Amino acid sequence: MSGCSDGSCSGPDRLPPGMLSKYDLDLPTADGTLVWLEVIRGPEPRFEASSLEILDKARSICEGRVFGAVFGDKELKPLYDIAFSYGVDTLYHVKDKRLVQFHPEAYCDAIAELSARIAPAAILMGATPRGRELAPRLAAALGAGLTADCTDLSADGRRILMTRPAFGGNLVATIACNGFPQMATVRPGAFPMPRADVGRKGTVIYRRYLGSAFKNIVSSEPVEAESVDISKAKILVSLGNGIRDRATVDLAESVASKLGGAVSCSRALVDRGWLPQSRQVGQSGRIVSPDLYLAFGISGSVQHKAGMSGSKRIVAVNKDPDAPIKESADVFIIGDAHSVLKELDERLDSN
Amino acid sequence: MKIVVAVKQVPDVSSVQTDDSGNIVREGIPSVLNPYCEYAVYMACRLKGDGPVTAVTMGPPQARGALLRCLELGADEAYLISDKAFAGSDAFATSKVLSAFVRTHIPGYDLILCGKQASDGDTAEVPAELACMLGVQQFCYVDEIVAGDDLRVLQNYRDEKRICVVPLRSVISVSKGECNRRLPSINDYLRAADVEIKTLDKAALGLDEQSAGVKGSKTRIISSRSSGVERSCVTIDGTNPSDAADVIIKEAGM
Ligand SMILES: Cc1cc2nc3c(=O)[nH]c(=O)nc-3n(C[C@H](O)[C@H](O)[C@H](O)COP(=O)(O)OP(=O)(O)OC[C@H]3O[C@@H](n4cnc5c(N)ncnc54)[C@H](O)[C@@H]3O)c2cc1C
């Protein structure tokens, strides 16, 4: 395979980059919503939760039909009914063994072609790593406006208003697209997981991918899903650079389990190798919104706050009475992280 | 290898202050090279061999500061794309300007590097939009770039790590926000100061009023407000750990 310099990966027709005008979908008749349904691969493939959350939202706020697009082979058959039960009316299955792997260029070409057929008013996908890679490529191909990582969507007829946090969560901006299709990626967990309408019916349409925009993937390894998903925890015991003793991490684990929560951290502890990256809260980590965020020995950098500012309640324990996290906390406790954790651990035992 | 690095200047978040209502105070905040872009420049300089590394940014005249930093880090030349007509560009318009720059000024490039996202806007859209507009492959979430017989990248999708062969002329976006690189030496500073930062306007890129800026953008901001989460900031003396534990146990509803 020759790679795809000079436009050879712009799609089945091998149009040069000037092809963009071909997909001019800024049509007054644009209607319905197209959702890319991301599949978590494995022996039993399933939909990524955010895709289902979006389907339900699309059905409740957007006018017109809901279209789904999936990529893969026969293994996706059991997922058809699931797609319908969460709101898909018409499911486009781009059936190709090679597309089980994520090839953003091929996915983009195929969805652009679908869009040209169905002219949707909106195209939505989850703001997962793959969604945030595919969406901008597609937006460029379609000449569409795109809002990244939305935390809310509302509709005014076919017009969608997109809400996203800016500046580390200090501001909330509402954004609209100037034409159709309107595109957005939606933050996982922004909408509640809907209930399936079992037995709801829809149509599957098979599509073939005739292009050749495949990447040369030498190897691919699944990363074992961590047993703890900090973005789902109701209470987080979060540790920062103020934790000087490794035993304090075990203590925090014990406290977290007694509280029915999980341990998360600032980047400082990931850098030290004390906790895995999956536990990091912040701009380059995970965005969390627990009922209670307990910050021990965390100073409150802008990057860290970007990940925790959506928490319902924030309590910080810090020995520095002027630590910047004070302003972001509901309760700011001046004290030593280790001693407070130790006390908590003992007290929760006797409770 | 001829490498283009597209960079952005951002407010130095480490010194960002918020006012009483939680809004960012932008006046007087120093600007810096976006940390992710800094890493991209560092990677480009490691890979370049004998080819030049060209840093480019679109921004106001002050964005020269970011380019100077790129030069200090080892970039060989730098372009500032600055035009009033480009103000207010969204990711689409920005990518359009950058793709016009690459076509008109560095048509024979081998690789384009970007930082994963800007630490201020955080949309992470430009690398893929740029790749699409140039009709080339994109490689996002790149943790490592290895040059041997061919060029390979390690991509990290959180639930999957994969290695791909990168054809020349692709766009790579790197995920790291910092690196343990050496600090620029006196010589680096002197060399950087000698390089002329070239300034380009819309005419130099063959673009007009309609193609970028607010008019060339595909999105518009309708409103923006403070996120409004008011925190009470009650301060408690927890010198005695049991006082602290009382509060936390109550908060946790135990
Ligand atoms: C591009 C980029 C992305 C980043 N992304 C992230 C991110 O996603 N997440 C993240 O967390 N950081 C991120 N960072 C790093 C961030 O800038 C800070 O360096 C980091 O958050 C600091 O972590 P900390 O608060 O734990 O450490 P520090 O800032 O060192 O704070 C430690 C705190 O502990 C307190 N302390 C010390 N001893 C004790 C004690 N005995 N008891 C109680 N308190 C004590 C101190 O008073 C201090 O407030 C990023 C940086 C960059 C440049």
Side-chain angles (χ1 to χ4, degrees):
Chain A
M1 203 201 76
S2 69
C4 75
S5 52
D6 304 319
S8 60
C9 75
S10 319
D13 308 328
R14 293 183 174 259
L15 287 168
M19 70 166 201
L20 303 186
S21 58
K22 182 183 152 209
Y23 295 120
D24 183 7
L25 295 184
D26 198 354
L27 311 169
T29 56
D31 195 17
T33 307
L34 173 60
V35 180
W36 171 53
L37 299 173
E38 184 170 359
V39 176
I40 313 250
R41 311 290 172 175
E44 279 176 38
R46 57 195 165 82
F47 287 124
E48 153 66 42
S50 59
S51 299
L52 304 177
E53 292 158 16
I54 294 169
L55 282 178
D56 188 61
K57 186 73 178 178
R59 218 150 73 95
S60 65
I61 67 162
C62 305
E63 291 178 357
R65 300 167 66 78
V66 175
F67 306 96
V70 282
F71 294 85
D73 203 25
K74 297 190 284 288
E75 79 286 356
L76 297 185
K77 283 227 161 91
L79 297 186
Y80 295 167
D81 281 338
I82 298 175
F84 300 143
S85 69
Y86 283 94
V88 171
D89 297 306
T90 308
L91 182 66
Y92 289 91
H93 179 175
V94 185
K95 205 156 173 280
D96 193 317
K97 237 191 352 255
R98 297 167 297 181
L99 295 177
V100 167
Q101 281 183 305
F102 180 58
H103 293 275
E105 293 80 10
Y107 280 34
C108 169
D109 288 346
I111 299 179
E113 228 183 78
L114 276 181
S115 308
R117 279 170 68 98
I118 58 189
I123 303 178
L124 306 175
M125 51 188 83
T128 59
R130 291 185 191 82
R132 291 191 72 175
E133 172 171 357
L134 174 59
R137 188 168 185 102
L138 184 62
L142 298 173
L146 166 64
T147 307
D149 205 20
C150 299
T151 49
D152 199 12
L153 301 175
S154 60
D156 172 12
R158 286 180 299 152
R159 287 275 170 201
I160 298 186
L161 295 179
M162 302 150 176
T163 302
R164 77 180 301 262
F167 279 100
N170 282 288
L171 293 180
V172 182
T174 301
I175 295 170
C177 296
N178 295 333
F180 296 110
Q182 313 158 85
M183 288 188 63
T185 58
V186 180
R187 183 176 292 182
F191 307 128
M193 187 61 183
R195 214 173 300 149
D197 180 359
V198 181
R200 192 177 174 279
K201 292 276 172 258
T203 316
V204 180
I205 298 178
Y206 292 106
R207 303 278 299 164
R208 282 208 300 158
Y209 173 65
L210 300 171
S212 58
F214 293 102
K215 281 189 167 357
N216 182 353
I217 303 170
V218 183
S219 67
S220 155
E221 268 174 48
V223 175
E224 232 9 271
E226 243 247 286
S227 50
V228 182
D229 181 349
I230 58 168
S231 66
K232 298 208 164 75
K234 293 271 175 249
I235 296 186
L236 283 174
V237 178
S238 204
L239 308 177
N241 214 8
I243 304 302
R244 300 313 312 177
D245 187 351
R246 214 169 165 147
T248 314
V249 178
D250 301 332
L251 195 57
E253 285 285 3
S254 164
V255 170
S257 83
K258 288 173 191 171
L259 290 171
V263 170
S264 60
C265 63
S266 75
R267 204 182 63 182
L269 291 201
V270 176
D271 288 347
R272 268 195 237 159
W274 287 13
L275 282 164
Q277 224 264 318
S278 55
R279 303 283 186 107
Q280 180 185 322
V281 172
Q283 189 188 59
S284 53
R286 306 297 299 267
I287 290 162
V288 298
S289 45
D291 292 337
L292 180 60
Y293 189 80
L294 300 167
F296 290 91
I298 294 177
S299 65
S301 65
V302 173
Q303 293 96 341
H304 188 79
K305 287 197 283 192
M308 62 159 219
S309 58
S311 307
K312 281 213 190 82
R313 294 280 291 173
I314 296 175
V315 177
V317 179
N318 200 301
K319 69 170 190 193
D320 172 7
D322 298 318
I325 197 166
K326 184 174 171 178
E327 283 140 53
S328 318
D330 297 289
V331 182
F332 181 72
I333 302 175
I334 304 166
D336 174 61
H338 184 85
S339 339
V340 174
L341 279 165
K342 194 151 167 281
E343 174 78 15
L344 274 173
D345 194 45
E346 284 161 10
R347 292 268 293 275
L348 289 166
D349 258 342
S350 54
N351 268 14
Chain B
M1 263 199 290
K2 293 193 193 65
I3 306 179
V4 178
V5 192
V7 303
K8 192 179 178 196
Q9 191 175 48
V10 295
D12 181 3
V13 283
S14 59
S15 60
V16 163
Q17 302 283 330
T18 48
D19 65 17
D20 293 343
S21 48
N23 287 328
I24 294 256
V25 182
R26 285 186 223 205
E27 284 87 64
I29 302 254
S31 292
V32 293
L33 178 61
N34 176 35
Y36 293 97
C37 299
E38 192 158 319
Y39 192 70
V41 174
Y42 162 76
M43 291 301 270
C45 294
R46 257 191 26 190
L47 278 174
K48 71 173 180 179
D50 46 351
V53 169
T54 307
V56 57
T57 192
M58 182 181 91
Q62 308 87 281
R64 294 176 69 84
L67 291 173
L68 192 60
R69 176 85 185 134
C70 294
L71 292 168
E72 289 167 6
L73 292 170
D76 299 282
E77 49 176 12
Y79 286 89
L80 171 64
I81 304 172
S82 198
D83 195 307
K84 284 209 181 68
F86 294 165
S89 291
D90 69 356
F92 183 88
T94 305
S95 306
K96 199 154 174 193
V97 170
L98 291 172
S99 65
F101 164 78
V102 171
R103 284 210 196 88
T104 52
H105 285 75
I106 324 276
Y109 79 90
D110 293 313
L111 213 54
I112 298 178
L113 259 61
C114 303
K116 175 183 122 187
Q117 63 192 48
S119 59
D120 57 345
D122 234 359
T123 66
E125 291 168 5
V126 169
E129 295 217 14
L130 178 61
C132 184
M133 288 177 187
L134 291 170
V136 300
Q137 286 191 37
Q138 64 194 40
F139 295 87
C140 297
Y141 313 106
V142 166
D143 275 345
E144 275 169 50
I145 309 178
V146 181
D149 295 337
D150 52 19
L151 195 64
R152 295 183 177 208
V153 290
L154 174 67
Q155 291 182 288
N156 183 349
Y157 284 100
R158 220 150 60 197
D159 60 350
E160 174 196 5
K161 286 192 181 184
R162 70 185 194 182
I163 295 173
C164 292
V165 175
V166 179
L168 285 182
R169 302 182 68 72
S170 298
V171 175
I172 293 178
S173 100
V174 298
S175 321
K176 282 198 204 154
E178 258 165 290
C179 47
N180 299 318
R181 67 187 143 57
R182 68 187 175 88
L183 289 169
S185 65
I186 300 279
N187 281 338
D188 294 324
Y189 284 115
L190 293 176
R191 195 185 53 81
D194 276 346
V195 180
E196 182 206 355
I197 296 176
K198 290 164 226 154
T199 305
L200 304 173
D201 61 6
K202 58 179 183 301
L205 301 182
L207 295 172
D208 59 23
E209 302 272 331
Q210 307 300 319
S211 39
V214 175
K215 285 184 183 144
S217 291
K218 301 288 182 183
T219 53
R220 62 180 190 285
I221 298 176
I222 307 280
S223 66
S224 127
R225 58 183 163 84
S226 153
S227 56
V229 194
E230 295 258 333
R231 306 277 177 188
S232 45
C233 311
V234 177
T235 301
I236 287 169
D237 180 2
T239 326
N240 181 351
S242 99
D243 297 343
D246 283 344
V247 175
I248 293 173
I249 288 170
K250 196 166 137 252
E251 286 284 342
M254 305 291 277

Coordinates of all heavy atoms in Angstrom, one line a residue, chain B residues 8 11 39-40 53 81 83 90 97 122 128 141 154 173 193 231 237 240-241 243:
Chain B
K8 N 0.6 26.8 18.4 CA -0.3 27.8 18.8 C 0.2 28.5 20.1 O 0.8 27.9 20.9 CB -1.7 27.2 19.1 CG -2.8 28.2 19.4 CD -4.1 27.6 19.6 CE -5.1 28.7 19.9 NZ -6.4 28.3 20.5
P11 N -2.7 31.4 26.5 CA -2.4 32.0 27.8 C -1.7 31.1 28.7 O -1.9 29.9 28.7 CB -3.8 32.4 28.3 CG -4.8 31.9 27.4 CD -4.1 31.2 26.2
Y39 N 6.1 20.1 22.7 CA 6.5 18.7 22.6 C 6.7 18.3 21.1 O 7.6 17.6 20.7 CB 5.6 17.7 23.3 CG 6.1 16.3 23.4 CD1 7.2 16.1 24.2 CD2 5.6 15.3 22.6 CE1 7.7 14.8 24.3 CE2 6.1 14.0 22.7 CZ 7.2 13.8 23.6 OH 7.7 12.5 23.7
A40 N 5.7 18.8 20.3 CA 5.8 18.5 18.8 C 7.0 19.1 18.2 O 7.7 18.4 17.4 CB 4.5 19.1 18.1
V53 N 13.2 22.2 10.0 CA 12.0 22.2 10.7 C 11.4 23.6 10.6 O 12.0 24.6 11.0 CB 12.2 21.8 12.2 CG1 10.9 22.1 13.0 CG2 12.6 20.4 12.4
I81 N 1.5 33.8 10.4 CA 0.4 34.1 9.5 C -0.5 35.0 10.3 O -1.1 34.7 11.3 CB -0.4 32.9 9.1 CG1 0.6 31.8 8.5 CG2 -1.5 33.2 8.2 CD1 -0.1 30.5 8.2
D83 N -3.3 38.3 9.9 CA -4.1 39.1 9.1 C -5.4 39.4 9.9 O -6.0 38.5 10.4 CB -4.4 38.4 7.8 CG -4.9 39.3 6.7 OD1 -5.9 40.1 7.0 OD2 -4.4 39.3 5.6
D90 N -12.5 29.7 13.5 CA -12.8 28.5 14.2 C -11.8 27.4 13.7 O -10.9 27.7 12.8 CB -14.2 28.0 14.1 CG -14.6 27.6 12.7 OD1 -13.8 27.7 11.8 OD2 -15.8 27.1 12.6
V97 N -6.5 28.0 6.5 CA -5.4 28.9 6.4 C -4.1 28.1 6.4 O -3.2 28.2 5.6 CB -5.4 29.9 7.5 CG1 -4.1 30.7 7.5 CG2 -6.6 30.8 7.3
D122 N -8.8 23.6 23.6 CA -9.1 22.2 23.9 C -10.0 21.5 22.9 O -10.5 20.5 23.2 CB -9.8 22.1 25.2 CG -9.1 21.2 26.2 OD1 -8.1 20.6 25.7 OD2 -9.5 21.0 27.3
A128 N -6.7 16.9 12.4 CA -7.4 16.0 11.5 C -8.1 16.8 10.4 O -8.1 16.4 9.2 CB -8.5 15.2 12.3
Y141 N -3.1 10.9 18.8 CA -2.7 10.3 20.1 C -1.4 9.6 20.0 O -1.2 8.4 20.4 CB -3.8 9.3 20.5 CG -5.2 9.9 20.4 CD1 -6.1 9.5 19.4 CD2 -5.6 10.9 21.3 CE1 -7.3 10.1 19.3 CE2 -6.8 11.5 21.2 CZ -7.7 11.1 20.2 OH -8.9 11.7 20.1
L154 N 3.5 5.0 17.7 CA 2.7 4.3 18.6 C 1.5 5.1 19.0 O 1.7 6.3 19.5 CB 3.5 4.0 19.9 CG 2.8 3.3 21.0 CD1 2.3 1.9 20.7 CD2 3.7 3.3 22.3
S173 N -0.3 14.0 15.3 CA -0.5 14.8 16.4 C 0.0 14.1 17.7 O -0.4 13.0 17.9 CB -1.9 15.4 16.5 OG -2.7 14.6 17.4
A193 N 17.7 34.2 17.8 CA 17.5 35.7 17.7 C 17.9 36.1 16.3 O 17.5 37.2 15.8 CB 18.4 36.4 18.7
R231 N -18.8 28.0 44.8 CA -18.3 27.1 45.9 C -18.2 28.0 47.2 O -17.8 29.2 47.1 CB -17.0 26.5 45.6 CG -16.9 25.8 44.3 CD -17.4 24.4 44.5 NE -17.3 23.7 43.2 CZ -17.9 22.5 43.0 NH1 -18.5 21.9 43.9 NH2 -17.8 21.9 41.8
D237 N -10.2 24.4 60.4 CA -8.9 24.0 60.9 C -8.9 22.5 61.2 O -9.6 22.0 62.0 CB -8.6 24.8 62.1 CG -7.2 24.5 62.7 OD1 -6.5 23.6 62.1 OD2 -6.9 25.0 63.8
N240 N -6.3 19.1 64.1 CA -6.7 17.9 64.8 C -7.4 17.1 63.8 O -8.5 17.4 63.4 CB -7.5 18.3 66.0 CG -8.0 17.1 66.8 OD1 -7.7 15.9 66.3 ND2 -8.6 17.3 67.9
P241 N -6.8 15.9 63.4 CA -7.4 15.1 62.3 C -8.8 14.7 62.6 O -9.6 14.5 61.7 CB -6.5 13.9 62.3 CG -5.3 14.3 62.9 CD -5.6 15.3 63.9
D243 N -11.3 16.5 63.8 CA -12.2 17.5 63.4 C -12.4 17.4 61.9 O -13.5 17.5 61.4 CB -11.6 18.9 63.7 CG -11.5 19.1 65.2 OD1 -12.1 18.4 65.9 OD2 -10.7 20.1 65.6

